Amino acid sequence: MIEIRVDENACNGCGLCVKDCPMQVYEMRDTVPVPVRVASCMGCLSCHEICPAQALEHRGVHPSRRHYIDIRVCEMLNRVI
Amino acid sequence: MAEGTVPQAKEAGSAPTVYRSEDVPLQCIPPPDELEDTLHGLMKLNGLIIRSLEEIAGRGANAVTYRAGRKYGHEVAKYFRKIEDVEEALKELSYILHGQYTIEIWKPADKDRYIIEENGSTFIYLVFHDCIVRQTLRRNGQPQGGPLCLTLFGYVVGAIEEITGRKAKLEIVHTGPNACLKKLILQ
């Protein structure tokens, strides 16, 4: 079962998550998106990616394999950080 | 001395001068977990081919890749047992493709059945979780839903047509970073 949390302090109310969700999981209420149909969420994480404030948190999502991370760039970043 | 390059290996005398057919290794060398560079090379190559195809063929690229995928789907699935039940066929396909793609039959919360009948068409929603196509596209910074995605659509459609004997069509509903939603329309 997927669980979605919206950080109301971080959210800037842009509504991009509401527009982007294909299953209309979110509804805008007083400039804050509220996940009203969480049972319809398929865990694509588009809202997560599109959110400019990184205000969304998903739990219980099946994480897909990610082989596309550029290992060379990561190695360089690790050295810098 | 480390034998990293071809000249180094030759110098060390480890490269056989005569290569007989029985010398061909029966297992993956090096082990798959050391093949990350190869995987990235393949992803880059695939992305490059698709980008060039799009530049040359324009929208025709979609037709080419869809056709290729569909043909491959038919080729692969002709060895599988025939199943009339589409749901079961999809589950079988998901099992077969496991490792490359993870396909889940999905329904919105307000639907009772996986097979949905709406506006005169019958369809099933599919969620693609693990997908090498998505990874390739994201690795190369290319948008999802283009010709490479259509190869996969063609593949699924071809396989389903072969397994069930029914004509089918696949439609992209949504593409995301973690999963994509597709609609398998049955005819």
Side-chain angles (χ1 to χ4, degrees):
Chain A
M1 183 71 189
I2 295 174
E3 200 183 307
I4 305 171
R5 287 181 193 173
V6 181
D7 185 343
E8 291 182 16
N9 296 320
C11 177
N12 61 10
C14 65
L16 284 174
C17 51
V18 181
K19 282 181 202 156
D20 199 46
C21 181
M23 287 296 139
Q24 292 87 42
V25 168
Y26 301 96
E27 210 175 84
M28 212 61 179
R29 286 183 193 164
D30 301 329
T31 70
V32 173
V34 180
V36 287
R37 294 178 68 204
V38 184
S40 288
C41 177
M42 47 142 184
C44 70
L45 298 186
S46 284
C47 53
H48 199 269
E49 193 174 60
I50 209 167
C51 178
Q54 298 181 357
L56 300 171
E57 193 181 281
H58 288 70
R59 284 175 190 210
V61 172
H62 166 78
S64 298
R65 295 175 189 195
R66 294 189 182 199
H67 297 314
Y68 58 79
I69 310 298
D70 196 318
I71 35 179
R72 301 263 176 270
V73 172
C74 287
E75 271 171 20
M76 280 195 300
L77 280 174
N78 274 337
R79 261 182 258 145
V80 174
I81 296 165
Chain B
M1 190 177 73
E3 296 164 24
T5 62
V6 174
Q8 282 170 346
K10 278 184 178 170
E11 206 177 307
S14 65
T17 46
V18 181
Y19 210 87
R20 292 177 295 270
S21 54
E22 60 265 33
D23 290 337
V24 176
L26 295 174
Q27 69 278 353
C28 199
I29 297 174
D33 58 349
E34 289 174 25
L35 289 169
E36 203 167 340
D37 279 335
T38 314
L39 175 72
H40 279 256
L42 274 174
M43 287 202 283
K44 280 185 203 170
L45 181 70
N46 252 332
L48 209 66
I49 292 169
I50 288 297
R51 196 173 288 173
S52 308
L53 185 66
E54 264 185 305
E55 280 170 14
I56 294 166
R59 290 191 64 181
N62 289 348
V64 173
T65 51
Y66 181 78
R67 171 96 182 147
R70 192 158 165 245
K71 213 167 177 181
Y72 185 47
H74 275 287
E75 281 286 315
V76 171
K78 71 181 172 194
Y79 301 108
F80 304 151
R81 67 189 176 103
K82 307 290 174 229
I83 308 165
E84 270 186 37
D85 184 6
V86 181
E87 252 183 74
E88 207 188 320
L90 282 165
K91 279 178 191 157
E92 177 113 352
L93 188 67
S94 173
Y95 174 76
I96 292 158
L97 293 176
H98 183 73
Q100 296 172 51
Y101 310 99
T102 309
I103 307 169
E104 185 197 357
I105 308 170
W106 189 83
K107 65 177 173 64
D110 56 345
K111 302 286 179 202
D112 302 325
R113 296 176 65 231
Y114 288 109
I115 299 179
I116 302 164
E117 282 173 28
E118 249 176 35
N119 304 325
S121 69
T122 310
F123 58 87
I124 299 179
Y125 281 121
L126 298 175
V127 175
F128 284 72
H129 292 286
D130 300 317
C131 175
I132 51 171
V133 167
R134 189 189 309 125
Q135 296 185 20
T136 302
L137 292 170
R138 292 181 80 81
R139 173 66 180 80
N140 294 297
Q142 287 169 272
Q144 288 169 250
L148 200 56
C149 280
L150 283 167
T151 315
L152 173 61
F153 295 177
Y155 184 87
V156 174
V157 168
I160 288 297
E161 281 181 352
E162 193 66 41
I163 295 171
T164 62
R166 288 178 74 173
K167 287 271 171 204
K169 207 171 84 177
L170 208 64
E171 233 179 65
I172 311 170
V173 179
H174 185 76
T175 55
N178 194 58
C180 299
L181 184 65
K182 317 270 157 72
K183 206 185 206 182
L184 183 75
I185 304 165
L186 304 163
Q187 288 164 358

